[in-house]
Amino acid sequence: CHLIHYLRLSHHLIVLNYLVGTFDKLKSVSSEDINITDAVFDGVEVRVFEPPAKHDERLKRSVIYIHGGGWALASARTSLYNNLCRIMAESLDAVIVSVEYRLVPEVCFPEQFHDALRATKHFLQPDVLAEYSVDPSRIAISGDSAGGNLAAAVCQQLSKDERLTIRPKLQALIYPVLQAFDFNTPSYQQNVNMAILPRYVMINYWIDYLNGNYDFAHSLLINNHTALDVGQALSFRGRLNWTSLLPSSFKKNYKPVIQTTGKAEIIQEIPALLDVRAVPLLAENETLQLQPKTYILTCENDVLRDDGVMYAKRLENAGVEVTLDHFDDCFHGCMIFTIWPTDFSAGVQTRNSYIKWLDENL
């Protein structure tokens, strides 16, 4: 993809990148008992967090974790994610595999997806699990934001791969980004200018991830790419009808934005807008029926809130057991902000709830 796309990211993204770099210099806060090693799984870098082995202990549980950052920022090695994974390893007495997938602008979709899929499939091999003393029946795949997108997409792909003998027992998605079909869901309208992730920034992330053209940004914002006369989008419309998928407490008084005439050339130039590997919420019911027990964490003050709520509802409708863990007073990205100077109560609250669910279900 073109470097110019990345250079045109907003000042907002540059600030976020600066903050990520600043936090990387902060001291780690977890115990020294966790063994951290860097490895390469089928050409993909990973960081592995292993609790100390105990005498006569059974095989350990494991979580494959995929970090967020709009497919363009952050790293498994930054202290924000390093601390999260250390605390998970410690609290769950589990092996955590944090995937260091390549980022925009080095690569665009589908390479991030392929990296996450390759690393996951490599880890799920019986001999690799044995090397790390992991129980094949107790593995979860998880991620936050763009990492939640990749986790959901990888989980869907694994569920359809008949050659696999080992698949995740659970998926746990933290304020995941799951669709680029409708940028006017109630949460997008309600939180249009919300700090951390305003709507225009999320659209920028999508354009960069899918190697699109910034000239389409305004058309995406008003849903021109999925107008009623855009034939390619018609078959997907029923899979993302928030008027039927969202409870009234989330719909509030917001109205759908559905254009009668739009720009079919957007989908022609960016076909990945309708590719389920990029937009897992658009998957067909037959795929959703194959998904494992699922946890989805959403925050009220987040444009992506309804992505997670709609996915929870679609999975439930397909017969999957789902826990929707919604936080009324929290914001996008809060779970990684648990160390000084951003040791927010929202971060500790959401992280504890997430780890508790994993502990009870994995």
Side-chain angles (χ1 to χ4, degrees), residues 37-98:
T37 55
D38 291 325
V40 177
F41 286 0
D42 191 16
V44 181
E45 296 180 14
V46 299
R47 175 160 283 195
V48 183
F49 300 75
E50 295 176 86
K54 299 172 184 173
H55 296 299
D56 64 21
E57 185 185 39
R58 298 176 303 166
L59 294 174
K60 291 189 182 296
R61 304 181 286 189
S62 183
V63 180
I64 300 159
Y65 195 85
I66 308 175
H67 72 79
W71 308 284
L73 302 174
S75 162
R77 299 187 178 97
T78 57
S79 52
L80 290 171
Y81 284 107
N82 213 55
N83 282 325
L84 173 62
C85 290
R86 286 178 68 129
I87 289 168
M88 288 170 63
E90 199 173 63
S91 302
L92 298 168
D93 189 31
V95 176
I96 311 299
V97 176
S98 189

Side-chain angles (χ1 to χ4, degrees), residues 14-180:
I14 295 170
V15 170
L16 280 180
N17 207 5
Y18 170 77
L19 288 174
V20 168
T22 299
F23 288 128
D24 194 32
K25 299 175 178 64
L26 299 177
K27 186 179 179 182
S28 187
V29 296
S30 194
S31 81
E32 297 300 321
D33 290 339
I34 304 301
N35 182 41
I36 302 175
T37 55
D38 291 325
V40 177
F41 286 0
D42 191 16
V44 181
E45 296 180 14
V46 299
R47 175 160 283 195
V48 183
F49 300 75
E50 295 176 86
K54 299 172 184 173
H55 296 299
D56 64 21
E57 185 185 39
R58 298 176 303 166
L59 294 174
K60 291 189 182 296
R61 304 181 286 189
S62 183
V63 180
I64 300 159
Y65 195 85
I66 308 175
H67 72 79
W71 308 284
L73 302 174
S75 162
R77 299 187 178 97
T78 57
S79 52
L80 290 171
Y81 284 107
N82 213 55
N83 282 325
L84 173 62
C85 290
R86 286 178 68 129
I87 289 168
M88 288 170 63
E90 199 173 63
S91 302
L92 298 168
D93 189 31
V95 176
I96 311 299
V97 176
S98 189
V99 181
E100 184 76 333
Y101 59 93
R102 292 169 295 165
L103 303 173
V104 169
E106 179 189 353
V107 298
C108 297
F109 175 83
E111 296 310 315
Q112 285 87 341
F113 165 77
H114 285 151
D115 284 359
L117 180 63
R118 283 204 312 276
T120 300
K121 289 178 74 170
H122 177 87
F123 183 63
L124 292 177
Q125 296 177 104
D127 57 332
V128 178
L129 295 177
E131 179 186 342
Y132 289 99
S133 300
V134 168
D135 185 339
S137 67
R138 303 177 78 194
I139 301 168
I141 185 165
S142 184
D144 65 293
S145 194
N149 167 283
L150 294 170
V154 167
C155 200
Q156 289 183 5
Q157 189 67 30
L158 295 175
S159 72
K160 296 184 288 187
D161 190 338
E162 296 179 355
R163 297 166 297 178
L164 289 181
T165 57
I166 300 168
R167 293 187 180 88
K169 177 185 181 183
L170 309 170
Q171 67 174 335
L173 313 176
I174 313 303
Y175 31 74
V177 48
L178 298 170
Q179 60 91 22

